[in-house]
Amino acid sequence: AQRVTQPEKLLSVFKGAPVELKCNYSYSGSPELFWYVQYSRQRLQLLLRHISRESIKGFTADLNKGETSFHLKKPFAQEEDSAMYYCALSGRGNQGGKLIFGQGTELSVKP
Amino acid sequence: NAGVMQNPRHLVRRRGQEARLRCSPMKGHSHVYWYRQLPEEGLKFMVYLQKENIIDESGMPKERFSAEFPKEGPSILRIQQVVRGDSAAYFCASSPLPGNEQFFGPGTRLTVL
């Protein structure tokens, strides 16, 4: 079955601390993985995708096919990183590119 | 470019009424996706449409729900005879090509009394 799991509903860290948001997936083919972010009162927006291998706003995520994980990391959290984060997958070659989302993790960065 | 527009932002219906949710994709985007977010859950895919065609409706409930994306005008998600369990946030996203980045609208929050 196709599934994305984010085990933490809420993650609270202090400013300057490292942060890791966990994401595990289940997919029978070759998936494409994404992290989307929703800041307060804003729309859901793409943060990064694994094929681009970019670092956006200091965040990185590496696809680990052996562990079927795509954890999101940042070495030094900032208060403006506080938001809702969703991990999602799409099957490569999947007709249309529909996204399968995890339940989301709320990141709270305290001063 | 104004981004993906959805209206209304909030919709209240009584059980048994019909709900119509509209989505105007970004300019130049001909691919539209609808997702539903129930309380305390992530977004769940419902349907993917291209102009005048339903491409993938594997996430749509079999009854009462329908979607369209006409040649002219917005995409419409229609829910007939709403029930309390339909209360959710409904998000629309658009992309210029399938598999490209999806741009999301602000969502419509449907409340069924």
Side-chain angles (χ1 to χ4, degrees):
Chain A
Q2 303 172 7
R3 188 183 300 125
V4 175
T5 303
Q6 294 178 249
E8 300 138 331
K9 208 170 178 179
L10 173 65
L11 185 61
S12 185
V13 301
F14 286 102
K15 177 182 171 181
V19 63
E20 181 180 50
L21 288 80
K22 291 185 168 49
C23 172
N24 289 88
Y25 67 90
S26 172
Y27 189 77
S28 56
S30 184
E32 184 169 356
L33 275 296
F34 307 82
W35 276 98
Y36 277 80
V37 61
Q38 187 172 28
Y39 300 102
S40 180
R41 300 181 187 280
Q42 294 188 28
R43 304 170 182 215
L44 198 63
Q45 57 186 283
L46 180 66
L47 181 62
L48 53 80
R49 57 198 304 180
H50 89 269
I51 60 170
S52 60
R53 296 184 177 274
E54 292 175 301
S55 173
I56 305 292
K57 299 184 178 183
F59 284 97
T60 58
D62 291 318
L63 180 61
N64 186 323
K65 291 183 180 179
E67 295 182 359
T68 58
S69 67
F70 189 57
H71 303 327
L72 184 68
K73 300 177 185 179
K74 185 169 183 177
F76 307 104
Q78 303 299 313
E79 289 180 69
E80 55 265 30
D81 295 328
S82 295
M84 199 72 190
Y85 290 81
Y86 293 95
C87 182
L89 75 76
S90 175
R92 289 197 206 180
N94 168 28
Q95 186 184 27
K98 72 182 183 188
L99 294 169
I100 299 167
F101 284 89
Q103 303 93 316
T105 298
E106 182 181 354
L107 174 64
S108 173
V109 182
K110 299 180 178 178
Chain B
N1 199 331
V4 177
M5 307 294 286
Q6 287 189 251
N7 68 82
R9 294 291 307 276
H10 300 273
L11 182 60
V12 179
R13 285 286 178 266
R14 295 190 181 279
R15 280 181 297 170
Q17 291 184 319
E18 179 179 285
R20 282 189 178 228
L21 289 65
R22 294 175 186 76
C23 169
S24 296
M26 286 180 70
K27 189 175 181 181
H29 290 192
S30 58
H31 301 263
V32 166
Y33 307 80
W34 285 93
Y35 296 87
R36 176 167 67 172
Q37 185 175 32
L38 295 169
E40 306 293 320
E41 294 187 17
L43 284 77
K44 297 270 193 305
F45 168 78
M46 299 182 74
V47 62
Y48 158 50
L49 310 102
Q50 201 178 345
K51 281 287 186 182
E52 300 185 272
N53 290 302
I54 296 175
I55 308 298
D56 181 352
E57 55 181 349
S58 57
M60 285 276 270
K62 294 286 185 274
E63 297 177 347
R64 302 187 298 107
F65 285 72
S66 62
E68 63 177 13
F69 189 15
K71 189 176 180 181
E72 301 291 337
S75 175
I76 307 282
L77 180 68
R78 184 181 175 206
I79 311 172
Q80 294 178 291
Q81 299 175 322
V82 295
V83 301
R84 290 224 175 98
D86 297 332
S87 295
Y90 292 82
F91 292 93
C92 167
S94 74
S95 71
L97 291 170
N100 277 32
E101 177 181 351
Q102 294 182 23
F103 293 83
F104 281 79
T108 293
R109 295 201 176 276
L110 172 65
T111 301
V112 179
L113 301 177

